[in-house]
Amino acid sequence: MSRRAAITGAALATMAVAASAGALTACQGKGGAAAEGDMALGASEGAKVTVIEYASVTCGHCAQWQRDVWPQFKARYVDTNKIRYVFREFPTPPAEVAAAGFLLARCAGEDKYFDVVHELLASQQEMQTVGPRPVLLRVAASAGLNEQQFSACVNDQAALAAFDDRVKAAQAEGVNGTPTFIVNGTRVVDSSLDGLAAAIDADWPRTDLHGLGPTHSPDPAGQCGPCARAWADGDCGPDPATRDDRRSHDRSGRRANYRCRICLVCLPPLCRLAPVRLSAAEDALDRYR
């Protein structure tokens, strides 16, 4: 990265993150509405559950979450379209490197944006060893951008101004550190898989295994009933390979809830439903009690 590019990026990004040094505080405001420049995966806009992550490519805790939690989180919630996952940029020191990284990700194109962000997060140690410029150029090349294109990208004044606007919008929502997670407008302090799952599943409809109708609010996508019938017909049930991840426990420690492997909707245990008992479904559950 040229000296001018670094200085330009630092000037805007440093002003934008002036208040970001220090511990995370509670998010003020709803923070759940769509915003200009959002990059998203999973379900479409208007999904029942939206998870927003504010993160920085230079944030060590963000890199750790990306390495340790993201693969399971993505498989359980994003790849299944159970949620809409929104990523929002919030640069942390060194701000000029974070700014350059995010600008590079956007220049790479929407289809490569997350690939670039994830590669930069995974390359933080390399940046500390060889410096940011070689790493940024390597990632740019992997995205199809040569050095001249990279230089033009990080010096794009319109892109820098838009980046600054996104950071100011995050600050207006009360964000002052990374990673920050918002689930349907509510800040979630526990960013572990279990912590996020608790917040997500609390907003997800539950379904009646007997096909007698939803036990809570109906699923707008209409998938609760069909999956309940699939379960009863033997086409859907606890997945032996992943049952530990898809099962919760009640206070006594008994395995209480099972998830359909088709739509991952949380299914209440048979004993808490109507007195009608379906032997096929009951037998399927009993194998994993």
Side-chain angles (χ1 to χ4, degrees):
M1 179 168 56
S2 69
R3 180 173 177 79
R4 180 186 173 192
I7 293 174
T8 303
L12 282 172
T14 302
M15 287 189 293
V17 299
S20 67
L24 294 178
T25 58
C27 181
Q28 304 296 320
K30 293 184 178 180
E36 185 71 26
D38 277 354
M39 302 302 288
L41 295 171
S44 59
E45 190 173 337
K48 180 170 181 61
V49 179
T50 296
V51 178
I52 300 173
E53 178 188 6
Y54 291 89
S56 173
V57 294
T58 55
C59 162
H61 291 296
C62 300
Q64 183 179 7
W65 189 88
Q66 173 69 30
R67 182 189 68 237
D68 298 340
V69 181
W70 170 252
Q72 297 177 69
F73 180 85
K74 178 175 181 289
R76 181 183 296 188
Y77 293 112
V78 180
D79 292 343
T80 58
N81 288 327
K82 188 176 181 183
I83 66 162
R84 179 172 177 81
Y85 167 77
V86 176
F87 184 91
R88 290 182 181 170
E89 304 158 352
F90 195 80
T92 55
E96 67 275 13
V97 177
F102 284 130
L103 291 172
L104 169 59
R106 290 186 178 269
C107 287
E110 231 176 284
D111 59 329
K112 298 178 182 177
Y113 176 87
F114 284 101
D115 291 337
V116 170
V117 168
H118 293 168
E119 180 59 26
L120 290 173
L121 284 166
S123 302
Q124 288 180 5
Q125 187 60 49
E126 183 185 354
M127 286 189 186
Q128 294 176 12
T129 303
V130 303
R133 177 180 170 80
V135 176
L136 288 166
L137 288 175
R138 173 179 63 76
V139 176
S142 70
L145 302 176
N146 59 34
E147 185 170 357
Q148 183 178 1
Q149 290 171 317
F150 168 75
S151 179
C153 173
V154 297
N155 280 292
D156 185 330
Q157 296 303 306
L160 281 164
F163 173 75
D164 188 46
D165 288 342
R166 290 191 293 274
V167 177
K168 289 177 179 176
Q171 288 181 318
E173 293 290 350
V175 178
N176 71 344
T178 57
T180 292
F181 288 91
I182 312 292
V183 177
N184 278 1
T186 300
R187 162 90 181 278
V188 178
V189 177
D190 183 357
S191 61
S192 68
L193 182 62
D194 288 343
L196 291 169
I200 293 169
D201 294 345
D203 283 338
W204 197 256
R206 296 175 183 238
T207 185
D208 185 339
L209 280 178
H210 294 283
L212 302 178
T215 58
H216 294 281
S217 59
D219 177 11
Q223 60 187 3
C224 284
C227 283
R229 287 191 293 274
W231 182 295
D233 292 339
D235 296 328
C236 177
D239 186 343
T242 57
R243 61 181 183 272
D244 288 336
D245 291 335
R246 298 183 181 184
R247 183 177 63 215
S248 62
H249 299 75
D250 61 17
R251 291 181 179 179
S252 68
R254 185 173 181 272
R255 295 164 187 170
N257 296 325
Y258 294 79
R259 297 175 192 276
C260 168
R261 66 179 174 220
I262 292 179
C263 67
L264 303 188
V265 170
C266 190
L267 302 171
L270 288 173
C271 60
R272 295 182 184 175
L273 302 177
V276 180
R277 303 182 70 81
L278 298 176
S279 59
E282 189 175 3
D283 290 345
L285 293 178
D286 283 340
R287 287 201 299 272
Y288 305 110
R289 291 180 193 265

